[in-house]
Amino acid sequence: MDLTPEQGQLFTSVSINPPNAHQMTVCYGFGCRRRAMLDFSAADRRTLTHIMASGRASAAAERMAIQKAVVWFDRRVGPMIGTDKRVANADIRAGSDATNFDCFDTTRNAASLLLVLREWGLLKHHTVDNPRYRGNPFKLQLPHNTAVIRDNTTGVKWVVDMWPTKYAHVPDVMPLDRWLNES
Protein backbone atom coordinates (compact mmCIF):
# COMPACT_ATOMS: atom_id res chain seq x y z
CA MET A 1 0.00 0.00 0.00
CA ASP A 2 1.31 3.44 -0.92
CA LEU A 3 1.70 5.55 2.24
CA THR A 4 3.13 8.95 3.04
CA PRO A 5 5.96 8.93 5.59
CA GLU A 6 3.54 10.28 8.22
CA GLN A 7 1.01 7.54 7.49
CA GLY A 8 3.75 4.92 7.59
CA GLN A 9 4.86 6.25 10.98
CA LEU A 10 1.41 5.44 12.39
CA PHE A 11 2.24 1.77 11.95
CA THR A 12 6.01 1.56 12.36
CA SER A 13 5.84 3.51 15.65
CA VAL A 14 3.98 0.58 17.24
CA SER A 15 5.58 -2.18 15.14
CA ILE A 16 2.52 -3.24 13.18
CA ASN A 17 2.05 -3.77 9.48
CA PRO A 18 0.06 -1.20 7.54
CA PRO A 19 -3.37 -2.31 6.38
CA ASN A 20 -3.86 -3.91 3.00
CA ALA A 21 -6.84 -4.86 0.85
CA HIS A 22 -7.36 -8.05 2.87
CA GLN A 23 -6.73 -7.18 6.51
CA MET A 24 -5.82 -4.56 9.08
CA THR A 25 -4.53 -4.55 12.62
CA VAL A 26 -7.08 -3.21 15.09
CA CYS A 27 -5.42 -1.31 17.92
CA TYR A 28 -6.96 -1.01 21.37
CA GLY A 29 -5.88 -0.94 25.00
CA PHE A 30 -4.35 2.55 24.86
CA GLY A 31 -1.43 3.12 22.54
CA CYS A 32 -2.00 -0.10 20.58
CA ARG A 33 -0.89 -2.24 23.51
CA ARG A 34 -3.57 -4.74 22.53
CA ARG A 35 -4.08 -5.85 18.94
CA ALA A 36 -6.34 -8.01 16.85
CA MET A 37 -6.38 -8.81 13.15
CA LEU A 38 -9.46 -7.93 11.15
CA ASP A 39 -9.56 -10.10 8.05
CA PHE A 40 -12.03 -8.60 5.59
CA SER A 41 -14.49 -11.18 4.32
CA ALA A 42 -16.32 -10.96 1.00
CA ALA A 43 -19.41 -9.97 3.00
CA ASP A 44 -17.45 -7.16 4.73
CA ARG A 45 -16.35 -5.84 1.37
CA ARG A 46 -19.88 -5.98 -0.05
CA THR A 47 -21.26 -4.16 3.00
CA LEU A 48 -18.62 -1.43 2.89
CA THR A 49 -19.05 -1.06 -0.88
CA HIS A 50 -22.79 -0.62 -0.34
CA ILE A 51 -22.24 1.91 2.46
CA MET A 52 -19.78 3.93 0.38
CA ALA A 53 -22.05 3.85 -2.70
CA SER A 54 -24.43 6.09 -0.77
CA GLY A 55 -21.73 8.78 -0.88
CA ARG A 56 -21.02 8.88 -4.61
CA ALA A 57 -23.13 11.99 -5.35
CA SER A 58 -20.99 14.58 -3.55
CA ALA A 59 -18.15 15.17 -1.12
CA ALA A 60 -20.65 15.89 1.66
CA ALA A 61 -22.47 12.61 0.94
CA GLU A 62 -19.16 10.75 0.93
CA ARG A 63 -18.28 12.16 4.35
CA MET A 64 -21.62 10.89 5.66
CA ALA A 65 -20.86 7.48 4.11
CA ILE A 66 -17.45 7.49 5.80
CA GLN A 67 -19.21 8.09 9.14
CA LYS A 68 -21.43 5.07 8.45
CA ALA A 69 -18.37 2.99 7.51
CA VAL A 70 -16.68 3.89 10.82
CA VAL A 71 -19.83 2.89 12.73
CA TRP A 72 -19.81 -0.39 10.76
CA PHE A 73 -16.17 -0.92 11.77
CA ASP A 74 -16.98 -0.28 15.44
CA ARG A 75 -19.87 -2.76 15.35
CA ARG A 76 -17.78 -5.30 13.45
CA VAL A 77 -14.82 -5.33 15.85
CA GLY A 78 -16.51 -4.43 19.16
CA PRO A 79 -17.93 -7.86 19.98
CA MET A 80 -14.75 -9.52 18.68
CA ILE A 81 -12.33 -7.64 20.96
CA GLY A 82 -14.59 -6.38 23.75
CA THR A 83 -14.69 -2.71 22.77
CA ASP A 84 -18.48 -2.86 22.47
CA LYS A 85 -18.38 -1.46 26.01
CA ARG A 86 -16.07 1.43 25.11
CA VAL A 87 -16.69 4.95 26.32
CA ALA A 88 -16.20 8.34 24.69
CA ASN A 89 -12.92 10.19 25.30
CA ALA A 90 -11.29 7.14 26.88
CA ASP A 91 -7.87 7.52 28.38
CA ILE A 92 -6.12 5.94 31.32
CA ARG A 93 -8.66 7.55 33.66
CA ALA A 94 -11.44 5.53 31.98
CA GLY A 95 -10.15 2.38 33.57
CA SER A 96 -10.33 -0.82 31.60
CA ASP A 97 -7.85 -0.62 28.77
CA ALA A 98 -9.11 -4.00 27.53
CA THR A 99 -12.43 -2.48 26.44
CA ASN A 100 -11.40 0.96 25.20
CA PHE A 101 -9.62 2.92 22.50
CA ASP A 102 -7.57 6.00 23.26
CA CYS A 103 -7.09 8.62 20.54
CA PHE A 104 -3.89 6.92 19.34
CA ASP A 105 -5.88 3.72 18.77
CA THR A 106 -8.79 5.47 17.06
CA THR A 107 -6.42 7.42 14.83
CA ARG A 108 -4.72 4.23 13.65
CA ASN A 109 -8.00 2.36 13.27
CA ALA A 110 -9.82 5.11 11.37
CA ALA A 111 -6.79 5.80 9.17
CA SER A 112 -6.44 2.07 8.46
CA LEU A 113 -10.10 1.76 7.49
CA LEU A 114 -9.84 4.83 5.26
CA LEU A 115 -6.73 3.41 3.59
CA VAL A 116 -8.56 0.13 2.93
CA LEU A 117 -11.50 2.05 1.42
CA ARG A 118 -8.99 3.91 -0.76
CA GLU A 119 -7.33 0.64 -1.76
CA TRP A 120 -10.71 -0.76 -2.80
CA GLY A 121 -11.42 2.34 -4.92
CA LEU A 122 -14.34 3.42 -2.74
CA LEU A 123 -13.22 7.01 -2.12
CA LYS A 124 -14.26 9.26 -5.00
CA HIS A 125 -14.30 12.74 -3.46
CA HIS A 126 -11.56 12.47 -0.81
CA THR A 127 -7.95 11.46 -0.33
CA VAL A 128 -6.60 10.00 2.89
CA ASP A 129 -4.36 12.69 4.36
CA ASN A 130 -1.80 12.59 7.16
CA PRO A 131 -3.05 12.22 10.74
CA ARG A 132 -3.06 15.39 12.80
CA TYR A 133 -2.25 16.33 16.35
CA ARG A 134 -3.51 19.12 18.57
CA GLY A 135 -2.77 20.12 22.11
CA ASN A 136 -2.23 23.56 23.53
CA PRO A 137 -2.13 23.86 27.31
CA PHE A 138 -2.57 27.63 27.03
CA LYS A 139 -6.00 27.02 25.48
CA LEU A 140 -6.72 24.25 28.03
CA GLN A 141 -6.53 21.82 25.11
CA LEU A 142 -5.42 18.29 25.94
CA PRO A 143 -3.21 16.37 23.48
CA HIS A 144 -5.28 14.58 20.85
CA ASN A 145 -4.77 12.89 17.46
CA THR A 146 -7.10 12.02 14.61
CA ALA A 147 -7.33 10.65 11.10
CA VAL A 148 -7.78 13.17 8.27
CA ILE A 149 -9.23 13.20 4.76
CA ARG A 150 -8.84 15.92 2.12
CA ASP A 151 -11.59 17.02 -0.26
CA ASN A 152 -10.27 16.45 -3.78
CA THR A 153 -12.06 19.51 -5.20
CA THR A 154 -11.72 22.16 -2.49
CA GLY A 155 -8.58 20.92 -0.74
CA VAL A 156 -10.31 21.33 2.63
CA LYS A 157 -9.10 18.84 5.21
CA TRP A 158 -11.65 17.06 7.41
CA VAL A 159 -11.06 15.05 10.56
CA VAL A 160 -12.58 11.61 11.03
CA ASP A 161 -12.52 11.30 14.81
CA MET A 162 -14.20 8.39 16.59
CA TRP A 163 -12.49 8.98 19.95
CA PRO A 164 -15.00 11.55 21.29
CA THR A 165 -17.93 9.19 20.72
CA LYS A 166 -18.89 6.00 22.48
CA TYR A 167 -19.36 2.58 20.91
CA ALA A 168 -21.24 2.53 17.58
CA HIS A 169 -21.97 6.26 17.61
CA VAL A 170 -21.33 8.46 14.60
CA PRO A 171 -17.76 9.81 14.64
CA ASP A 172 -16.99 13.50 14.47
CA VAL A 173 -16.35 14.68 10.92
CA MET A 174 -15.54 18.37 10.76
CA PRO A 175 -13.13 20.73 9.04
CA LEU A 176 -9.61 20.33 10.40
CA ASP A 177 -9.33 24.06 11.16
CA ARG A 178 -12.39 23.88 13.44
CA TRP A 179 -11.07 20.73 15.15
CA LEU A 180 -7.68 22.32 15.79
CA ASN A 181 -9.36 25.10 17.78
CA GLU A 182 -11.71 22.97 19.89
CA SER A 183 -10.89 22.33 23.52
Side-chain angles (χ1 to χ4, degrees):
M1 186 175 284
D2 190 28
L3 302 174
T4 67
E6 293 85 355
Q7 291 167 346
Q9 181 65 21
L10 270 177
F11 308 106
T12 59
S13 66
V14 292
S15 302
I16 62 173
N17 291 324
N20 61 52
H22 307 290
Q23 66 181 195
M24 66 176 267
T25 302
V26 178
C27 289
Y28 64 112
F30 305 149
C32 205
R33 288 189 322 209
R34 297 174 183 263
R35 301 151 189 211
M37 291 306 298
L38 174 57
D39 294 314
F40 293 103
S41 68
D44 292 338
R45 189 168 180 159
R46 279 191 304 275
T47 299
L48 285 167
T49 298
H50 177 73
I51 288 169
M52 293 307 297
S54 69
R56 290 306 222 186
S58 68
E62 187 167 85
R63 289 189 295 273
M64 289 175 58
I66 287 169
Q67 288 177 304
K68 292 174 189 171
V70 171
V71 171
W72 171 89
F73 164 82
D74 216 7
R75 287 186 175 142
R76 172 72 167 81
V77 302
M80 181 175 87
I81 62 175
T83 55
D84 53 341
K85 300 164 194 67
R86 75 177 184 84
V87 298
N89 302 308
D91 61 20
I92 199 70
R93 296 170 295 181
S96 179
D97 66 337
T99 60
N100 279 300
F101 299 131
D102 67 5
C103 68
F104 296 103
D105 297 328
T106 59
T107 299
R108 280 185 192 89
N109 293 338
S112 292
L113 180 62
L114 290 165
L115 289 165
V116 169
L117 295 175
R118 181 193 75 184
E119 190 75 7
W120 290 348
L122 300 179
L123 296 178
K124 176 181 176 185
H125 300 283
H126 295 88
T127 302
V128 182
D129 209 87
N130 294 324
R132 286 300 299 265
Y133 167 85
R134 74 174 186 210
N136 184 340
F138 299 111
K139 290 182 176 180
L140 302 176
Q141 194 181 60
L142 295 174
H144 184 40
N145 300 287
T146 191
V148 177
I149 55 175
R150 182 176 32 85
D151 186 303
N152 293 337
T153 302
T154 66
V156 172
K157 294 181 180 183
W158 295 79
V159 302
V160 178
D161 192 359
M162 63 188 290
W163 182 69
T165 62
K166 64 183 184 176
Y167 172 71
H169 282 217
V170 175
D172 289 347
V173 172
M174 69 180 74
L176 174 63
D177 290 340
R178 182 174 136 206
W179 181 85
L180 286 170
N181 291 307
E182 283 193 340
S183 55

